[in-house]
Amino acid sequence: MFEDLRDLYQEVIFDHNRNPRNFRVMENADRQVEGFNPLCGDRLTLFLKMDGDVITDASFQGSGCAISTASVSLMTEIVKGKTEAEAEELFTKFHEMTTGKEEHINLEALGKLAVLAGVREYPARVKCATLAWHTLDAALKNEANAISTE
Amino acid sequence: MSGFDVNKIRQDFPILAEKIRGKDLVYLDNAATCQKPQAVIDSIVQLYSHDYANIHRGVHTLSVRSTDKFEAARSKVKSFINAASDKEIIFVRGATEAINLVAQTYGKANIKAGDEILITAMEHHSNIVPWQMLCEQTGAVLKVAPMNHKGELIYSEFEQLLGDKTKLVSVVHMSNALGTINPVKKIIAAAHAKGIPVLLDGAQAIPHMTVDVQELDCDFYVFSGHKLYGPSGIGVLYGKQSLLEAMPPYQGGGDMIRKVTFEETEYNTLPYKFEAGTPAIADVIALGAAIDYLVAIGMENIAAYEAELLDYATAKAKQIEGLTIIGEAEEKGAILSFTLNKIHPHDIGTMLDSLGIAIRAGHHCAMPVMDFYGVPATARASFAMYNTKQEIDVLMAGIQSLIEVFG
Ligand SMILES: Cc1ncc(COP(=O)(O)O)c(C=O)c1O
């Protein structure tokens, strides 16, 4: 019945929505930042454990739609073990993929994150996918304040 | 029902024939704005093709034609809500501007530090923020009468909050987030017994029921044209003449003056005192056309038909496991706000859209209502006179299958 939506709601997204990974409060986190999308009320708290400039652990709490939940769940998986610079580079690539500015995006470089490429066709939902990454960006820049997609 | 033929009505709305992603459009976002009948579209085309010029200021033929049509629309609004005089009908941009106008004129002139303004827990942001701004400017205090879990005003608490310091009551006639219809006659009588004027936010109520401002005895009534099958960018402030006379003007400019020198200005009479500048001429006239269209169908017929739709939708919704209806007031208009277990309203909105079904997902400009129910957002199907039971079936089937897909 929802054939048209297969590109947006891939099975991986349903899976991460049903069973979000790294969905826990992190005791003794080095960084903790809140992300908020006032348009839809999506809210998340991102926790990072750092060793020098390497992200050794990432987790989150919060509630949101399937796209935003899957996005943050996938993100916490993929950034573990990455340096700050590598994570920032992923953010740039992810942003290009979801906002569709880049004609020939290398989806392979994005690994599993490529399942979120479909939001490009749904401008109203792009912010759902990018909230996690804006929050990470703020955490890496060590911005103390809560971040908002607006 | 006397002569109410939904199929005939549907043919008057060209957009209802639109295909969305290859599917028949099922438009259920009428509380946000509703679609326009051909008569409204035609009136705009007619004006710009044959009759258009600026109003109230030319002796030439077109100016006279436009002015006559504009003032005829004012009379139509007056009759539609049964105001006592055309002077009580002020054209503004919408319900939002009307409330801001009252806050910044009546409010500033009459409300002082320590005074109270009383609203309810189910207001739209446009009936909260203008009062907060006024409170900030004056030192007045905003009081909020609570509601129960069904989304009904707790009347006894409202009455208790109505005190010596209360200088204005401003309540929503029908809630856009919940559908609740407030007991406005009782509210007005209680406020008037203490000499307190009442503003009704009629943005949602006006397309669904007969509104008689004299019978209600409200002091101000506000609504937007676009929710009444008319154009956006135009709305109405009704005010009792005695109150409007005593209020200072809102904006200064052309049309609102009688005589201007550099030393002083004499303001125009009602309603022009509050209508500075060139208004949305075509849109006012088209709102008049929308009212003609509605009067021909009959507001009672519309109300009865929509009540049937709401009952049907509510019964169907209750059969869906995992669906929670938000807002179950005894007195309720044609709005079905709901949440689904573990499925975010935005996902509901996107998935239904792929089936051609337009609903609203979000906080409905009523964040305090969302906080009250402890949800970030709801999905909302809101009905108009052109919706059908078949469309409700399509909606419910869509909800059922998205629940299955989400698993
Ligand atoms: C109850 C209520 N009041 C006020 C408004 C504001 O109307 P507008 O945006 O047309 O000024 C709305 C619109 O959604 C509403 O539903």
Side-chain angles (χ1 to χ4, degrees):
Chain A
M1 193 162 186
F2 296 100
E3 302 81 15
D4 298 352
L5 287 178
R6 265 197 210 128
D7 286 344
L8 181 61
Y9 289 99
Q10 300 199 23
E11 194 43 49
V12 178
I13 290 176
F14 283 132
D15 173 40
H16 277 259
N17 183 52
R18 276 191 289 265
N19 308 299
R21 320 296 197 266
N22 304 306
F23 187 73
R24 59 187 152 82
V25 175
M26 192 189 291
E27 306 297 337
N28 310 321
D30 294 309
R31 312 267 171 93
Q32 173 175 343
V33 174
E34 286 188 16
F36 179 49
N37 180 348
L39 199 66
C40 52
D42 286 359
R43 222 173 252 288
L44 64 88
T45 309
L46 181 68
F47 305 91
L48 299 179
K49 189 96 196 134
M50 307 294 294
D51 181 3
D53 75 340
V54 176
I55 302 166
T56 54
D57 196 11
S59 73
F60 78 103
Q61 285 278 283
S63 75
C65 64
I67 307 292
S68 83
T69 303
S71 179
V72 63
S73 169
L74 285 160
M75 183 187 80
T76 54
E77 279 193 314
I78 207 163
V79 297
K80 266 190 230 180
K82 297 261 190 305
T83 64
E84 291 189 26
E86 285 166 342
E88 288 288 4
E89 198 188 319
L90 265 179
F91 173 40
T92 307
K93 287 209 179 88
F94 185 81
H95 201 264
E96 281 164 358
M97 172 183 82
T98 51
T99 52
K101 290 206 181 84
E102 206 61 24
E103 277 302 303
H104 306 286
I105 303 149
N106 184 358
L107 287 182
E108 260 164 45
L110 283 160
K112 257 190 182 177
L113 298 178
V115 298
L116 286 158
V119 296
R120 220 178 340 183
E121 305 300 326
Y122 297 84
R125 305 300 303 275
V126 170
K127 281 181 178 170
C128 309
T130 54
L131 175 63
W133 290 88
H134 283 290
T135 311
L136 175 71
D137 185 44
L140 292 178
K141 293 188 173 130
N142 224 341
E143 289 168 11
N145 294 336
I147 101 110
S148 149
T149 57
E150 288 298 285
Chain B
M1 209 174 301
S2 59
F4 186 93
D5 180 353
V6 68
N7 291 318
K8 189 164 158 289
I9 287 170
R10 288 182 70 79
Q11 282 170 12
D12 294 333
F13 289 79
I15 206 168
L16 297 181
E18 202 65 16
K19 298 275 182 213
I20 302 297
R21 297 178 185 266
K23 317 264 182 357
D24 288 337
L25 167 65
V26 175
Y27 188 77
L28 300 175
D29 194 17
N30 295 287
T33 195
C34 59
Q35 302 296 347
K36 317 306 170 199
Q38 193 65 48
V40 167
I41 299 167
D42 286 348
S43 88
I44 294 173
V45 173
Q46 163 70 27
L47 183 81
Y48 284 134
S49 308
H50 300 288
D51 305 317
Y52 180 74
N54 211 330
I55 55 168
H56 300 145
R57 50 188 80 178
V59 294
H60 60 77
T61 306
L62 289 184
S63 178
V64 172
R65 272 195 212 160
S66 279
T67 304
D68 287 351
K69 284 189 155 194
F70 186 89
E71 290 305 325
R74 194 189 305 277
S75 299
K76 288 172 190 178
V77 173
K78 177 220 143 201
S79 308
F80 188 61
I81 62 172
N82 194 31
S85 155
D86 283 8
K87 292 181 180 156
E88 298 178 324
I89 307 300
I90 316 287
F91 287 119
V92 291
R93 280 192 297 139
T96 302
E97 188 177 41
I99 297 172
N100 278 280
L101 189 159
V102 174
Q104 291 302 315
T105 60
Y106 181 85
K108 267 206 181 146
N110 295 286
I111 295 171
K112 314 244 163 346
D115 289 348
E116 294 175 359
I117 300 157
L118 181 55
I119 62 172
T120 76
M122 66 186 94
E123 302 304 328
H124 186 278
H125 295 164
S126 64
N127 197 27
I128 302 173
V129 184
W131 306 119
Q132 287 174 330
M133 289 165 66
L134 179 67
C135 287
E136 216 157 86
Q137 290 159 351
T138 59
V141 181
L142 190 62
K143 293 281 175 180
V144 183
M147 62 181 178
N148 63 25
H149 207 76
K150 286 162 90 179
E152 294 166 326
L153 178 70
I154 303 173
Y155 184 76
S156 57
E157 302 226 14
F158 168 84
E159 230 176 1
Q160 279 189 356
L161 284 167
L162 209 53
D164 293 340
K165 291 185 184 158
T166 315
K167 289 287 148 29
L168 185 71
V169 170
S170 191
V171 300
V172 71
H173 192 172
M174 171 175 154
S175 155
N176 67 309
L178 303 166
T180 308
I181 296 171
N182 274 315
V184 290
K185 278 196 86 163
K186 218 159 92 176
I187 287 172
I188 292 164
H192 283 181
K194 301 196 163 174
I196 305 162
V198 179
L199 181 152
L200 294 183
D201 171 1
Q204 291 298 333
I206 196 88
H208 298 299
M209 63 188 81
T210 305
V211 171
D212 181 331
V213 291
Q214 291 192 75
E215 201 216 358
L216 288 170
D217 199 24
C218 56
D219 300 277
F220 299 105
Y221 197 93
V222 309
F223 63 93
S224 297
H226 69 95
K227 295 186 205 274
L228 190 64
Y229 306 94
S232 57
I234 188 68
V236 171
L237 165 64
Y238 157 82
K240 282 185 182 163
Q241 190 171 338
S242 55
L243 286 170
L244 293 175
E245 300 274 16
M247 279 155 57
Y250 181 46
Q251 294 177 327
D255 251 3
M256 57 77 72
I257 46 82
R258 185 179 283 151
K259 180 166 163 248
V260 177
T261 65
F262 286 115
E263 286 68 44
E264 62 172 357
T265 290
E266 202 178 301
Y267 299 130
N268 206 338
T269 51
L270 289 176
Y272 312 111
K273 180 170 100 177
F274 293 104
E275 294 179 351
T278 301
I281 300 167
D283 305 298
V284 164
I285 292 167
L287 175 60
I291 288 174
D292 286 343
Y293 181 77
L294 290 166
V295 168
I297 295 168
M299 292 310 292
E300 290 78 9
N301 294 330
I302 293 170
Y305 177 71
E306 289 177 346
E308 225 178 84
L309 282 183
L310 180 66
D311 286 348
Y312 184 78
T314 304
K316 287 255 162 177
K318 283 186 169 160
Q319 287 165 14
I320 297 179
E321 208 177 311
L323 185 152
T324 307
I325 296 175
I326 307 285
E328 296 193 274
E330 293 297 325
E331 293 294 323
K332 198 179 157 186
I335 283 177
L336 188 74
S337 231
F338 62 94
T339 56
L340 296 180
N341 242 350
K342 292 193 190 144
I343 307 180
H344 193 280
H346 265 207
D347 295 317
I348 302 173
T350 299
M351 299 201 103
L352 292 179
D353 179 60
S354 80
L355 306 176
I357 306 165
I359 60 145
R360 173 88 182 263
H363 53 65
H364 318 294
C365 296
M367 284 187 182
V369 174
M370 301 297 112
D371 291 344
F372 177 81
Y373 286 98
V375 296
T378 74
R380 179 188 70 188
S382 52
F383 308 105
M385 62 173 163
Y386 45 61
N387 289 127
T388 63
K389 288 182 183 169
Q390 292 92 298
E391 287 181 311
I392 291 168
D393 290 341
V394 172
L395 168 70
M396 298 302 166
I399 294 172
Q400 279 289 9
S401 42
L402 78 85
I403 290 173
E404 281 156 31
V405 172
F406 261 78

